Amino acid sequence: MAETKQQLHIAMFPWLAFGHIIPSLELGKLIAQRKGHRISFISTPRNIDRLPKIPSDVAPLITLVKLPLPHVDNLPENAEATMDVPHHIIPYLKIAHDRLQEPLSKFLETSNPDWIIHDFAPYWLPPIAARLGISRAFFSVFNASTLCFIGPPKWLSSSSGTADGPDPGFKRTELEHFIVPPKWVPFPSKIVYRPYEAKKLFENTEANASGVSDFFRFMMVYLGTEVVAIKTCMEVEAEWLNLFGELLPIPVAPVGLLPPSPQEGNDNRDSTWDTISKWLNKQEKGSVVYVALGSEIRPSQEEFNELALGLEQSGCPFFWALRKSAGGESIELPEGFEKRTKGRGIVWTGWAPQFKILSHESIVGFVTHCGWSSVTEAFQFGRALILLPFIGDQGLIARLLEERQAGVEIPRKEEDGSFTRESVAQTLRLVMKDVEGQIYRDKAKEMTTIFGNKELQHRYVDKFVELLEKHRQIVTKG
């Protein structure tokens, strides 16, 4: 008689950033929906309250767990996610996050999940979970090429040249080490940082106000987890997934691209879409560029001016979703910009339903900061990408997409990262309408066969869950 599968209880604990929280929730929903396992989704009260509504078919299987965020000096009240604070305040958010150690331990002790699927930030979590007999999986919203570039634990550590540690020649201690492919990448690659990006990244290699560096967090998580699950798939990053599997001594599992489900908004948000769709409906099919730099990117006033004036100079119809920054810094549009572009473009300062906008037939291109989730959304609908990365892994994602001829980066100066209105206008015209840019438009359409193929993507989740089930069976029997 066939053995009946036991329902697993899986706790999920994403980092306090919506670029991490939403893919983590998407993964949780799919695990519940497809396999019937129970999910405890853990975050802070305000973040939980901002989540999209859980579909009724999986709601009974998903428990939303609110852990109040401890108070930390320098962290504004009600700031519970990276989108709520300017970039330089994020280390204080990490301090508050690290202070969730005790309430999270108590929750794990009382609820006794089989697995905890965690993020890169809680470097203190694996030993706690191991002591409680809970299996650990690190879920990375960073794609495989980025993880390979960051490097495996032995090259993140401070030791050098020991029997099992890195060769001293592998240790990256200089800025120059980040603008070339790492020595452990055995094939040709252009996925590197530019000098201006490497300067910013270099900060991550040093301890910040939270007391530890981001690299240290990665290293400790790798050393304490049992599986690494990555938001990617073989069809996009086969060579990088294979390499990462060789670099780590534990299973590496692609969980697919987790394309977000269309969200049902509340009435207010639906009326927002009515207004936006009316304008989009009036535009010619395949003529509009959508501009959105995510909820955390804060360009300088100069960058902002050049982007705006480049949009104007390009002559392309545009829809610009312009989020007001959490830090409250005031950034002004160039004088007379809205008047001069009236009718041709819209600057939208409220909430904008990105998924619905990208799916609209008038949209052909997307000026993006290269967040992996935004890229995933765009390729579901075959939108050609104009790449304008700013922080973190965005530069590496831009290089990956350029290697695949799936987007074009707006040229910047290597040293300071500045760009001009002319380079913005030129890149927009190339990707949106020039004959030479047809290759990028075609490649973006080709991407829908991977990114838009829900069945293909869901098979990755199924395989991942089978891995979790088998591992638990072995642990239980052992």
Side-chain angles (χ1 to χ4, degrees):
M1 199 172 120
E3 197 179 316
T4 55
K5 277 198 179 148
Q6 196 191 348
Q7 187 191 44
L8 294 178
H9 175 199
I10 299 168
M12 303 190 78
F13 184 54
W15 161 237
L16 306 174
F18 275 84
H20 292 238
I21 292 169
I22 297 299
S24 188
L25 182 64
E26 207 58 45
L27 179 59
K29 288 193 303 197
L30 285 169
I31 292 171
Q33 201 173 46
R34 299 179 69 78
K35 296 292 187 172
H37 295 306
R38 284 190 306 124
I39 305 291
S40 289
F41 193 84
I42 309 159
S43 193
T44 61
R46 190 157 177 248
N47 290 340
I48 295 279
D49 291 344
R50 288 185 279 187
L51 292 177
K53 197 169 181 288
I54 308 282
S56 55
D57 60 331
V58 289
L61 291 168
I62 298 177
T63 306
L64 300 174
V65 180
K66 296 180 177 182
L67 297 183
L69 193 67
H71 170 75
V72 165
D73 291 342
N74 299 319
L75 194 62
E77 208 170 333
N78 289 331
E80 297 187 8
T82 50
M83 68 189 285
D84 302 329
V85 294
H87 194 68
H88 68 279
I89 297 295
I90 290 175
Y92 299 100
L93 192 62
K94 286 187 175 131
I95 296 173
H97 168 273
D98 290 342
R99 289 183 188 170
L100 289 170
Q101 181 172 336
E102 199 182 324
L104 180 63
S105 302
K106 279 184 181 153
F107 171 77
L108 294 176
E109 239 171 294
T110 53
S111 62
N112 195 26
D114 299 291
W115 279 92
I116 182 153
I117 298 178
H118 57 83
D119 218 315
F120 79 98
Y123 65 97
W124 36 265
L125 174 57
I128 294 166
R131 180 172 54 77
L132 296 169
I134 299 165
S135 300
R136 289 89 55 211
F138 163 38
F139 170 48
S140 171
V141 298
F142 304 101
N143 63 355
S145 51
T146 296
L147 292 179
C148 286
F149 189 91
I150 292 168
K154 63 180 185 177
W155 288 299
L156 287 169
S157 73
S158 55
S159 64
S160 60
T162 58
D164 57 354
D167 178 305
F170 277 78
K171 186 74 186 136
R172 290 185 290 182
T173 50
E174 305 296 324
L175 191 133
E176 288 69 32
H177 297 159
F178 293 92
I179 58 176
V180 293
K183 292 185 180 181
W184 52 84
V185 175
F187 43 80
S189 168
K190 291 178 183 163
I191 300 176
V192 296
Y193 280 109
R194 308 265 191 252
Y196 64 91
E197 293 167 331
K199 280 173 197 160
K200 289 182 197 169
L201 176 89
F202 216 54
E203 296 162 12
N204 293 339
T205 64
E206 291 164 13
N208 52 45
S210 74
V212 295
S213 69
D214 284 353
F215 277 21
F216 178 80
R217 290 177 190 274
F218 269 104
M219 182 180 77
M220 296 312 288
V221 157
Y222 284 144
L223 293 172
T225 202
E226 294 168 274
V227 177
V228 176
I230 309 176
K231 182 185 182 294
T232 191
C233 64
M234 292 297 279
E235 290 73 12
V236 175
E237 293 194 288
E239 73 276 41
W240 293 105
L241 271 164
N242 291 334
L243 173 61
F244 202 59
E246 287 163 25
L247 292 173
L248 285 193
I250 54 174
V252 169
V255 293
L257 295 157
L258 304 172
S261 342
Q263 305 302 343
E264 289 309 314
N266 55 33
D267 295 339
N268 171 37
R269 289 186 165 191
D270 283 347
S271 65
T272 294
W273 172 240
D274 289 345
T275 313
I276 293 170
S277 61
K278 262 181 207 155
W279 185 83
L280 290 172
N281 290 341
K282 288 178 194 160
Q283 310 310 309
E284 202 180 308
K285 185 180 172 182
S287 67
V288 178
V289 63
Y290 171 55
V291 184
L293 301 178
S295 55
E296 295 174 30
I297 302 303
R298 297 168 182 86
S300 66
Q301 182 65 60
E302 191 186 340
E303 289 169 330
F304 196 76
N305 286 345
E306 295 305 311
L307 178 56
L309 296 169
L311 268 175
E312 183 182 338
Q313 218 176 83
S314 74
C316 300
F318 64 87
F319 184 95
W320 189 352
L322 187 57
R323 295 285 291 265
K324 189 179 184 307
S325 83
E329 307 98 309
S330 100
I331 286 188
E332 304 296 325
L333 284 161
E335 200 177 336
F337 170 80
E338 287 184 276
K339 196 175 176 184
R340 293 192 302 273
T341 57
K342 194 172 166 54
R344 174 161 73 83
I346 274 192
V347 178
W348 189 268
T349 52
W351 173 82
Q354 180 159 292
F355 188 91
K356 285 180 173 177
I357 293 167
L358 283 167
S359 70
H360 197 278
E361 63 177 14
S362 69
I363 303 290
V364 66
F366 178 19
V367 177
T368 174
H369 61 304
C370 306
W372 193 226
S373 290
S374 288
V375 168
T376 302
E377 286 188 47
F379 282 153
Q380 273 189 85
F381 305 108
R383 305 304 173 220
L385 300 183
I386 298 100
L387 311 167
L388 190 60
F390 281 88
I391 54 170
D393 59 338
Q394 294 163 7
L396 298 177
I397 290 169
R399 317 288 121 75
L400 173 75
L401 297 170
E402 280 215 311
E403 266 195 357
R404 302 284 191 268
Q405 293 187 306
V408 181
E409 204 171 331
I410 292 170
R412 293 174 180 250
K413 278 191 185 157
E414 290 278 299
E415 289 311 310
D416 65 1
S418 60
F419 57 89
T420 64
R421 62 199 73 174
E422 290 76 20
S423 64
V424 172
Q426 212 176 346
T427 312
L428 273 165
R429 284 195 293 262
L430 169 70
V431 175
M432 297 281 292
K433 44 192 183 188
D434 289 358
V435 175
E436 300 82 27
Q438 188 63 46
I439 184 170
Y440 304 108
R441 299 190 288 277
D442 290 346
K443 183 59 82 169
K445 288 205 166 60
E446 205 182 290
M447 286 293 193
T448 58
T449 60
I450 300 167
F451 286 75
N453 184 339
K454 287 272 169 76
E455 210 31 63
L456 168 71
Q457 298 306 326
H458 290 171
R459 281 202 294 273
Y460 280 103
V461 177
D462 292 346
K463 278 186 193 160
F464 171 59
V465 178
E466 278 166 29
L467 178 68
L468 302 186
E469 289 168 346
K470 277 181 189 153
H471 180 93
R472 261 336 265 186
Q473 279 170 10
I474 293 163
V475 169
T476 314
K477 281 174 188 164

